Structure formats: structure tokens, C-alpha cells
Amino acid sequence: MLQFKLVLLGDSSVGKSSIVHRFVKDSFDEFRESTIGAAFLSQTIKLEKQDDVTIKFEIWDTAGQERYKSLAPMYYRNANAALIVYDITQPDSLAKAQSWVDELKNKVGDQDLVICLVGNKLDLCEEDPQKRVVDTEDAQRYASEQGLLFQEVSAKTGAGVTDIFQTIGEKLYVQK
Ligand code: GDP
């Protein structure tokens, strides 16, 4: 079994913990308390595109990094993948995600990281299209310019969440 370390980054309240919770427990809890300190979770998946390849993700949810605007070395050290999360319904949310991308790239140098830009809260936009403030095309364009994977998701409904991990797992497997 292959094991990879994956870290989460993005501003407070964009739904990082909810995405992890959806992926690991397949549930959503509107009133779950926010993460204090580093939370470790792991989840194993079978790659859909490969026969018999199992990947274990060791997931590091943020230890309140968003408040310090600076990454602790233990957080990104030996990381293989990162999710940079923004909230599709929040102005400035993508710009903030972009500064996390810069910060991460800066810190890890040429360490080979698979980064996925994740737009969360898709359910709110489907309910009411007026709530969307970040266009899919803008985020997609930025992601391809930066060489990032890209996915819009809803931690609430689960839409797109397993796709993130399948795509990252596939890329990590191929480049390993
Ligand atoms: P974090 O601070 O980035 O870890 O964000 P949380 O996971 O704690 O979520 C922040 C708030 O957004 C909570 O009230 C969640 O219930 C809510 N939330 C998270 N993901 C979604 C989603 O996909 N859809 C909706 N409607 N709300 C969400």
C-alpha cells in the first residue's frame, strides 16, 4: 500500500474540516466545532483507474494556520499533496487561496507536490445561482496556469469530494 501525506490550506470557514469529514466519515455536520490544533485523519482508497492499487492518505487539517498566515515547517515537511480550499460564495476567497498557493510553493521549493485547488459550497450556488461570486472559468484558468488540479465540491452533499482524492491519488501513483 502506498501512503501519502496531504495537507489542507485555505482561509478560515471555507470548509476545510467539512471536506475532510465528508471524505473520511462520509457525513456532514453543520454544527461541528472548528478545528483547534492539528487534526490527523487517515483514509484509504482504491484507485478507480488502476487494478488493485490502494492508497492511504494521511490528512493534516490546518492547525489554525489561517490565523498566522505562515506555514509551520512540520506541516508541509514531507507533504506529497495539498488541497487549497476557497469558498465559491465568498468575495476575495479565490485571491486568498492564491496567496496560500504562493506561500506553499515558496516554502516547499522544488519538493514535488500535487496541489489541487478546491472551490467548496457548490450546494449553495446550485440552490441560488446569485450566491456564486467566483466563476468556475476564472478558477480553472488560474489552476491551469499554475499547474494545479481543480475541482468544485460540496462538503454538504458530497458532490465532487471523492473525485479530488481519486485524481490526486492517480497523479501521485503515476509520478511515484
Ligand atoms: P474550516 O474553518 O475551513 O475548517 O471550515 P469548516 O469545515 O469548519 O466549515 C465552516 C462553515 O461552513 C461551517 O458552518 C460548515 O457547516 C459550513 N460548510 C462547510 N462546507 C460546506 C458546504 O459544502 N456547503 C455548505 N452549505 N456549508 C458548508
Side-chain angles (χ1 to χ4, degrees):
M1 180 164 56
L2 297 164
Q3 188 165 324
F4 297 109
K5 172 176 172 181
L6 178 145
V7 300
L8 275 100
L9 289 171
D11 266 47
S12 175
S13 297
V14 295
K16 298 178 296 298
S17 301
S18 299
I19 290 169
V20 174
H21 206 78
R22 167 60 69 190
F23 175 56
V24 174
K25 306 247 172 27
D26 198 18
S27 69
F28 178 75
D29 177 0
E30 204 120 14
F31 305 105
R32 201 174 28 72
E33 292 189 23
S34 63
T35 318
I36 301 160
F40 270 107
L41 286 164
S42 63
Q43 176 68 304
T44 301
I45 60 165
K46 280 191 109 165
L47 289 185
E48 283 160 3
K49 289 194 190 161
Q50 312 285 341
D51 280 338
D52 273 336
V53 178
T54 306
I55 286 183
K56 182 173 182 184
F57 287 104
E58 180 189 286
I59 303 170
W60 295 49
D61 199 349
T62 71
Q65 312 264 354
E66 56 267 65
R67 261 173 291 157
Y68 306 111
K69 197 68 207 112
S70 169
L71 285 178
M74 64 164 288
Y75 193 68
Y76 57 81
R77 189 178 299 135
N78 301 323
N80 304 104
L83 302 191
I84 315 270
V85 185
Y86 66 93
D87 179 342
I88 304 170
T89 69
Q90 286 305 311
D92 295 342
S93 185
L94 180 61
K96 285 185 180 159
Q98 293 171 339
S99 61
W100 282 111
V101 172
D102 294 342
E103 165 86 2
L104 184 64
K105 286 192 166 174
N106 216 352
K107 285 279 164 65
V108 300
D110 46 18
Q111 186 180 322
D112 215 356
L113 262 192
V114 174
I115 305 176
C116 184
L117 180 69
V118 178
N120 188 36
K121 309 199 185 179
L122 190 57
D123 59 290
L124 296 176
C125 312
E126 284 168 349
E127 232 169 69
D128 176 4
Q130 307 262 40
K131 289 208 173 133
R132 176 184 283 277
V133 300
V134 180
D135 285 337
T136 307
E137 294 70 27
D138 292 342
Q140 175 84 74
R141 187 176 328 108
Y142 166 76
S144 21
E145 281 164 12
Q146 296 283 320
L148 317 177
L149 299 170
F150 171 66
Q151 183 78 43
E152 286 187 343
V153 305
S154 164
K156 186 169 182 175
T157 66
V161 174
T162 54
D163 298 343
I164 303 172
F165 294 90
Q166 280 291 332
T167 319
I168 291 177
E170 181 72 27
K171 194 158 178 194
L172 287 168
Y173 174 70
V174 171
Q175 76 175 32
K176 79 168 185 319

